[in-house]
Short mmCIF file of all heavy atoms in Angstrom, two decimals:
data_model
loop_
_atom_site.label_atom_id
_atom_site.label_comp_id
_atom_site.label_asym_id
_atom_site.label_seq_id
_atom_site.Cartn_x
_atom_site.Cartn_y
_atom_site.Cartn_z
N ARG A 12 -35.34 4.49 -2.18
CA ARG A 12 -36.18 3.46 -2.67
C ARG A 12 -36.43 2.41 -1.60
O ARG A 12 -35.55 1.87 -1.06
CB ARG A 12 -35.52 2.77 -3.91
CG ARG A 12 -35.34 3.53 -5.19
CD ARG A 12 -34.67 2.72 -6.20
NE ARG A 12 -35.33 1.53 -6.65
CZ ARG A 12 -34.90 0.32 -6.40
NH1 ARG A 12 -33.80 0.11 -5.79
NH2 ARG A 12 -35.59 -0.74 -6.76
N GLU A 13 -37.68 2.22 -1.34
CA GLU A 13 -38.11 1.37 -0.37
C GLU A 13 -37.75 -0.03 -0.70
O GLU A 13 -37.46 -0.89 0.04
CB GLU A 13 -39.73 1.38 -0.16
CG GLU A 13 -40.17 0.46 1.07
CD GLU A 13 -41.58 0.61 1.17
OE1 GLU A 13 -42.31 1.49 0.58
OE2 GLU A 13 -42.23 -0.18 1.94
N GLU A 14 -37.57 -0.34 -2.03
CA GLU A 14 -37.12 -1.69 -2.50
C GLU A 14 -35.75 -1.95 -2.22
O GLU A 14 -35.31 -3.18 -2.16
CB GLU A 14 -37.32 -1.85 -3.97
CG GLU A 14 -38.83 -1.72 -4.43
CD GLU A 14 -39.41 -0.36 -4.57
OE1 GLU A 14 -38.54 0.63 -4.37
OE2 GLU A 14 -40.61 -0.14 -4.59
N THR A 15 -34.94 -0.91 -1.98
CA THR A 15 -33.52 -1.20 -1.54
C THR A 15 -33.34 -1.58 -0.14
O THR A 15 -33.82 -0.94 0.79
CB THR A 15 -32.73 0.13 -1.76
OG1 THR A 15 -32.78 0.57 -3.18
CG2 THR A 15 -31.29 -0.05 -1.41
N GLY A 16 -32.83 -2.83 0.02
CA GLY A 16 -32.72 -3.30 1.36
C GLY A 16 -31.37 -3.34 1.89
O GLY A 16 -31.04 -3.56 3.20
N PHE A 17 -30.35 -3.09 0.99
CA PHE A 17 -28.89 -3.25 1.38
C PHE A 17 -28.15 -2.36 0.40
O PHE A 17 -28.47 -2.27 -0.90
CB PHE A 17 -28.41 -4.74 1.11
CG PHE A 17 -27.10 -5.04 1.64
CD1 PHE A 17 -26.96 -5.09 3.06
CD2 PHE A 17 -26.04 -5.40 0.82
CE1 PHE A 17 -25.59 -5.40 3.45
CE2 PHE A 17 -24.78 -5.75 1.29
CZ PHE A 17 -24.58 -5.75 2.63
N ALA A 18 -27.22 -1.60 0.99
CA ALA A 18 -26.52 -0.62 0.20
C ALA A 18 -25.02 -0.76 0.54
O ALA A 18 -24.58 -0.90 1.68
CB ALA A 18 -26.95 0.81 0.59
N LYS A 19 -24.13 -0.77 -0.52
CA LYS A 19 -22.65 -0.89 -0.36
C LYS A 19 -21.97 0.24 -1.01
O LYS A 19 -22.36 0.67 -2.05
CB LYS A 19 -22.16 -2.25 -1.02
CG LYS A 19 -22.58 -3.47 -0.23
CD LYS A 19 -21.67 -4.59 -0.77
CE LYS A 19 -20.26 -4.51 -0.43
NZ LYS A 19 -19.92 -4.87 1.00
N GLY A 20 -20.92 0.71 -0.34
CA GLY A 20 -20.07 1.77 -0.94
C GLY A 20 -18.99 1.18 -1.87
O GLY A 20 -18.66 -0.02 -1.69
N PHE A 21 -18.53 1.99 -2.82
CA PHE A 21 -17.36 1.75 -3.46
C PHE A 21 -16.54 2.94 -3.70
O PHE A 21 -17.12 4.02 -3.59
CB PHE A 21 -17.70 0.95 -4.94
CG PHE A 21 -18.34 1.85 -5.90
CD1 PHE A 21 -17.63 2.59 -6.81
CD2 PHE A 21 -19.78 1.96 -5.90
CE1 PHE A 21 -18.32 3.41 -7.77
CE2 PHE A 21 -20.43 2.75 -6.84
CZ PHE A 21 -19.70 3.40 -7.79
N TYR A 22 -15.27 2.80 -4.04
CA TYR A 22 -14.38 3.95 -4.13
C TYR A 22 -13.10 3.64 -4.66
O TYR A 22 -12.75 2.32 -4.80
CB TYR A 22 -14.12 4.53 -2.63
CG TYR A 22 -14.33 3.39 -1.65
CD1 TYR A 22 -13.47 2.38 -1.48
CD2 TYR A 22 -15.37 3.63 -0.62
CE1 TYR A 22 -13.65 1.36 -0.45
CE2 TYR A 22 -15.56 2.55 0.31
CZ TYR A 22 -14.67 1.49 0.39
OH TYR A 22 -14.88 0.51 1.25
N ARG A 23 -12.31 4.53 -5.02
CA ARG A 23 -10.85 4.25 -5.48
C ARG A 23 -10.08 3.90 -4.06
O ARG A 23 -10.31 4.59 -3.09
CB ARG A 23 -10.25 5.49 -5.96
CG ARG A 23 -10.81 5.85 -7.30
CD ARG A 23 -10.06 6.99 -8.00
NE ARG A 23 -9.91 8.19 -7.00
CZ ARG A 23 -10.93 9.15 -6.96
NH1 ARG A 23 -12.01 9.11 -7.71
NH2 ARG A 23 -10.65 10.17 -6.15
N ARG A 24 -9.11 3.04 -4.11
CA ARG A 24 -8.37 2.65 -3.05
C ARG A 24 -6.93 2.72 -3.38
O ARG A 24 -6.45 1.74 -3.94
CB ARG A 24 -8.81 1.20 -2.50
CG ARG A 24 -10.16 1.16 -2.02
CD ARG A 24 -10.51 -0.35 -1.59
NE ARG A 24 -9.70 -0.65 -0.53
CZ ARG A 24 -9.75 -1.95 0.13
NH1 ARG A 24 -10.58 -2.81 -0.39
NH2 ARG A 24 -9.05 -2.25 1.09
N PRO A 25 -6.25 3.83 -3.01
CA PRO A 25 -4.83 3.91 -3.32
C PRO A 25 -4.00 2.93 -2.56
O PRO A 25 -4.35 2.53 -1.35
CB PRO A 25 -4.48 5.32 -2.94
CG PRO A 25 -5.50 5.73 -1.98
CD PRO A 25 -6.78 5.11 -2.43
N LEU A 26 -2.90 2.50 -3.03
CA LEU A 26 -2.01 1.53 -2.40
C LEU A 26 -0.67 2.28 -2.13
O LEU A 26 -0.11 2.91 -2.91
CB LEU A 26 -1.68 0.41 -3.22
CG LEU A 26 -0.68 -0.70 -2.81
CD1 LEU A 26 -1.26 -1.30 -1.50
CD2 LEU A 26 -0.42 -1.73 -3.82
N GLN A 27 -0.34 2.27 -0.77
CA GLN A 27 0.95 2.91 -0.25
C GLN A 27 1.85 1.85 0.13
O GLN A 27 1.63 1.13 1.09
CB GLN A 27 0.64 3.92 0.82
CG GLN A 27 1.75 4.74 1.25
CD GLN A 27 2.20 5.87 0.29
OE1 GLN A 27 1.32 6.55 -0.34
NE2 GLN A 27 3.41 6.12 0.05
N VAL A 28 3.00 1.71 -0.51
CA VAL A 28 3.99 0.72 -0.05
C VAL A 28 5.24 1.56 -0.07
O VAL A 28 5.93 1.83 -1.00
CB VAL A 28 4.10 -0.39 -1.01
CG1 VAL A 28 5.27 -1.44 -0.56
CG2 VAL A 28 2.83 -1.26 -1.23
N GLY A 29 5.75 1.80 1.25
CA GLY A 29 6.91 2.61 1.41
C GLY A 29 6.58 4.02 0.72
O GLY A 29 5.75 4.60 1.27
N ASP A 30 7.54 4.38 -0.12
CA ASP A 30 7.43 5.74 -0.64
C ASP A 30 6.62 5.74 -1.95
O ASP A 30 6.38 6.70 -2.65
CB ASP A 30 8.72 6.34 -0.94
CG ASP A 30 9.51 6.70 0.38
OD1 ASP A 30 8.69 6.90 1.41
OD2 ASP A 30 10.66 6.52 0.38
N THR A 31 6.22 4.52 -2.33
CA THR A 31 5.42 4.38 -3.70
C THR A 31 3.94 4.47 -3.43
O THR A 31 3.38 3.66 -2.62
CB THR A 31 5.79 2.97 -4.30
OG1 THR A 31 7.22 2.87 -4.43
CG2 THR A 31 5.10 2.86 -5.62
N HIS A 32 3.38 5.35 -4.15
CA HIS A 32 1.87 5.58 -4.09
C HIS A 32 1.23 5.13 -5.42
O HIS A 32 1.52 5.83 -6.46
CB HIS A 32 1.61 7.05 -3.69
CG HIS A 32 0.20 7.33 -3.61
ND1 HIS A 32 -0.57 7.24 -2.40
CD2 HIS A 32 -0.79 7.86 -4.47
CE1 HIS A 32 -1.82 7.55 -2.56
NE2 HIS A 32 -1.98 8.00 -3.86
N THR A 33 0.32 4.25 -5.36
CA THR A 33 -0.40 3.81 -6.57
C THR A 33 -1.83 4.09 -6.48
O THR A 33 -2.55 3.57 -5.55
CB THR A 33 -0.15 2.30 -6.79
OG1 THR A 33 1.16 1.99 -6.80
CG2 THR A 33 -0.76 1.91 -8.17
N PRO A 34 -2.33 5.12 -7.23
CA PRO A 34 -3.70 5.59 -6.99
C PRO A 34 -4.79 4.51 -7.00
O PRO A 34 -5.64 4.53 -6.26
CB PRO A 34 -3.88 6.60 -8.12
CG PRO A 34 -2.46 7.08 -8.37
CD PRO A 34 -1.61 5.87 -8.26
N GLY A 35 -4.70 3.52 -7.87
CA GLY A 35 -5.79 2.56 -8.02
C GLY A 35 -5.28 1.10 -7.65
O GLY A 35 -5.76 0.16 -8.05
N GLY A 36 -4.17 1.09 -6.85
CA GLY A 36 -3.55 -0.19 -6.60
C GLY A 36 -4.08 -1.04 -5.39
O GLY A 36 -3.73 -2.14 -5.17
N GLY A 37 -5.08 -0.38 -4.69
CA GLY A 37 -5.70 -1.07 -3.52
C GLY A 37 -6.80 -2.10 -3.91
O GLY A 37 -7.02 -2.18 -5.14
N GLY A 38 -7.36 -2.76 -3.02
CA GLY A 38 -8.46 -3.67 -3.28
C GLY A 38 -7.92 -4.83 -4.02
O GLY A 38 -8.61 -5.49 -4.86
N ARG A 39 -6.70 -5.41 -3.57
CA ARG A 39 -6.17 -6.54 -4.28
C ARG A 39 -6.96 -7.84 -4.09
O ARG A 39 -7.14 -8.65 -5.12
CB ARG A 39 -4.73 -6.73 -3.83
CG ARG A 39 -3.79 -5.66 -4.23
CD ARG A 39 -2.45 -5.69 -3.44
NE ARG A 39 -2.70 -5.13 -2.01
CZ ARG A 39 -1.77 -5.08 -1.15
NH1 ARG A 39 -0.57 -5.55 -1.37
NH2 ARG A 39 -2.06 -4.63 0.06
N VAL A 40 -7.43 -8.14 -2.90
CA VAL A 40 -8.31 -9.37 -2.70
C VAL A 40 -9.56 -9.15 -3.45
O VAL A 40 -10.11 -10.19 -4.08
CB VAL A 40 -8.62 -9.50 -1.22
CG1 VAL A 40 -9.43 -10.77 -1.07
CG2 VAL A 40 -7.25 -9.71 -0.45
N THR A 41 -10.13 -7.96 -3.56
CA THR A 41 -11.36 -7.83 -4.37
C THR A 41 -11.26 -8.17 -5.83
O THR A 41 -11.95 -8.94 -6.40
CB THR A 41 -11.72 -6.31 -4.30
OG1 THR A 41 -12.07 -6.06 -2.92
CG2 THR A 41 -12.89 -6.00 -5.29
N GLU A 42 -10.10 -7.66 -6.43
CA GLU A 42 -9.90 -8.03 -7.85
C GLU A 42 -9.30 -9.41 -8.16
O GLU A 42 -9.60 -9.86 -9.24
CB GLU A 42 -9.04 -6.95 -8.42
CG GLU A 42 -9.63 -5.53 -8.33
CD GLU A 42 -10.88 -5.37 -9.17
OE1 GLU A 42 -11.05 -6.13 -10.12
OE2 GLU A 42 -11.80 -4.68 -8.64
N LEU A 43 -8.54 -9.98 -7.28
CA LEU A 43 -7.82 -11.27 -7.46
C LEU A 43 -8.71 -12.42 -6.96
O LEU A 43 -8.51 -13.54 -7.44
CB LEU A 43 -6.47 -11.30 -6.94
CG LEU A 43 -5.52 -10.27 -7.53
CD1 LEU A 43 -4.21 -10.29 -6.82
CD2 LEU A 43 -5.39 -10.48 -8.99
N THR A 44 -9.65 -12.17 -6.08
CA THR A 44 -10.41 -13.31 -5.49
C THR A 44 -11.93 -13.08 -5.48
O THR A 44 -12.64 -13.81 -6.17
CB THR A 44 -10.02 -13.52 -3.99
OG1 THR A 44 -8.51 -13.83 -4.00
CG2 THR A 44 -10.64 -14.74 -3.44
N ALA A 45 -12.43 -12.07 -4.90
CA ALA A 45 -13.86 -11.98 -4.71
C ALA A 45 -14.61 -11.68 -5.98
O ALA A 45 -15.50 -12.43 -6.27
CB ALA A 45 -14.12 -10.72 -3.68
N ARG A 46 -14.20 -10.70 -6.75
CA ARG A 46 -14.92 -10.44 -8.07
C ARG A 46 -14.74 -11.59 -9.02
O ARG A 46 -15.73 -11.98 -9.65
CB ARG A 46 -14.48 -9.22 -8.69
CG ARG A 46 -14.73 -7.99 -7.75
CD ARG A 46 -14.85 -6.58 -8.51
NE ARG A 46 -16.08 -6.53 -9.31
CZ ARG A 46 -16.07 -6.64 -10.65
NH1 ARG A 46 -15.04 -6.91 -11.40
NH2 ARG A 46 -17.23 -6.53 -11.33
N PRO A 47 -13.62 -12.26 -9.17
CA PRO A 47 -13.52 -13.50 -10.06
C PRO A 47 -14.57 -14.50 -9.68
O PRO A 47 -15.08 -15.11 -10.54
CB PRO A 47 -12.09 -13.92 -10.05
CG PRO A 47 -11.36 -12.59 -9.77
CD PRO A 47 -12.25 -11.90 -8.75
N LEU A 48 -14.52 -14.83 -8.33
CA LEU A 48 -15.47 -15.91 -7.86
C LEU A 48 -16.86 -15.49 -8.08
O LEU A 48 -17.72 -16.37 -8.47
CB LEU A 48 -15.13 -16.20 -6.39
CG LEU A 48 -13.93 -16.92 -5.96
CD1 LEU A 48 -13.74 -16.88 -4.51
CD2 LEU A 48 -13.93 -18.30 -6.45
N LEU A 49 -17.30 -14.24 -7.85
CA LEU A 49 -18.70 -13.93 -8.02
C LEU A 49 -19.04 -13.94 -9.53
O LEU A 49 -20.16 -14.34 -9.95
CB LEU A 49 -18.97 -12.49 -7.47
CG LEU A 49 -18.90 -12.41 -5.96
CD1 LEU A 49 -19.06 -10.94 -5.53
CD2 LEU A 49 -19.88 -13.25 -5.33
N ASN A 50 -18.17 -13.49 -10.37
CA ASN A 50 -18.35 -13.51 -11.80
C ASN A 50 -18.51 -14.95 -12.23
O ASN A 50 -19.31 -15.31 -13.20
CB ASN A 50 -17.15 -12.86 -12.54
CG ASN A 50 -17.34 -11.36 -12.72
OD1 ASN A 50 -17.88 -10.93 -13.80
ND2 ASN A 50 -16.96 -10.65 -11.79
N LEU A 51 -17.70 -15.86 -11.74
CA LEU A 51 -17.84 -17.20 -12.10
C LEU A 51 -19.06 -17.97 -11.61
O LEU A 51 -19.74 -18.66 -12.40
CB LEU A 51 -16.52 -17.98 -11.54
CG LEU A 51 -16.46 -19.49 -11.99
CD1 LEU A 51 -16.17 -19.59 -13.56
CD2 LEU A 51 -15.23 -20.08 -11.33
N PHE A 52 -19.44 -17.87 -10.35
CA PHE A 52 -20.45 -18.53 -9.69
C PHE A 52 -21.79 -17.79 -9.49
O PHE A 52 -22.83 -18.44 -9.45
CB PHE A 52 -20.06 -19.21 -8.38
CG PHE A 52 -18.98 -20.21 -8.59
CD1 PHE A 52 -17.62 -19.91 -8.01
CD2 PHE A 52 -19.11 -21.42 -9.25
CE1 PHE A 52 -16.57 -20.83 -8.22
CE2 PHE A 52 -18.08 -22.27 -9.37
CZ PHE A 52 -16.81 -22.05 -8.88
#
């Protein structure tokens, strides 16, 4: 689309801490800071 001027990717972000693997546990700053601020303001 010519109207599209900016494109961003998104994905699942697994979190690996030691031997513990959490499939959807990554993106902590996204969910705890960035998205709440954008939703608010």
Side-chain angles (χ1 to χ4, degrees):
R12 291 176 62 246
E13 187 178 351
E14 294 79 12
T15 299
F17 190 69
K19 284 193 71 77
F21 68 91
Y22 25 66
R23 298 185 304 275
R24 294 180 63 183
L26 176 64
Q27 185 79 36
V28 180
D30 296 329
T31 303
H32 181 85
T33 306
R39 290 164 286 174
V40 177
T41 294
E42 295 303 327
L43 297 176
T44 302
R46 296 199 75 253
L48 285 172
L49 292 177
N50 272 265
L51 184 62
F52 296 115

